[in-house]
Amino acid sequence: LPEGGVLPFDFGAVAGFLHRSGGEVRAVSATCTHLGCRLNLDAPARRLNCPCHRTSFAVDGVVLTHQLPVTPPPLPHLVVREAGGVVEVLVPPAGA
Ligand code: FES
């Protein structure tokens, strides 16, 4: 994952997007905080778009644009770690 890069991942129960910024890898959920639609990655724009009601998020989870009466919350971050060139995402156990 190069600096500035964005990668989607999907473990079934948990899906999200990894991005590297300032050398650090971070991850956000791929589930829109409005009503739970799956976000789509617009890689060239480094933007996560919701197909349901046109909200868009930055890859760090901040809301960029929306047309809702109330601004939805930012995307939650997921716990990640990187060791030896391998990035791991902590996925909570089912039912947690
Ligand atoms: S579910 Fe994403 S904006 Fe409504």
Side-chain angles (χ1 to χ4, degrees):
L1 184 62
E3 179 69 21
V6 185
L7 272 181
F9 63 87
D10 187 347
F11 300 136
V14 176
F17 298 94
L18 293 166
H19 71 280
R20 186 185 296 279
S21 180
E24 273 191 55
V25 177
R26 298 205 167 98
V28 294
S29 167
T31 302
C32 182
T33 54
H34 177 224
L35 292 179
C37 291
R38 179 67 64 92
L39 302 172
N40 298 318
L41 171 62
D42 178 349
R46 291 176 48 80
R47 179 183 283 235
L48 307 173
N49 296 324
C50 181
C52 293
H53 311 106
R54 302 177 135 205
T55 295
S56 67
F57 299 86
V59 293
D60 65 358
V62 172
V63 176
L64 293 175
T65 62
H66 73 90
Q67 299 180 345
L68 302 167
V70 176
T71 304
L75 298 174
H77 285 247
L78 304 170
V79 176
V80 297
R81 68 181 178 189
E82 183 177 21
V86 176
V87 175
E88 296 177 321
V89 179
L90 179 65
V91 177

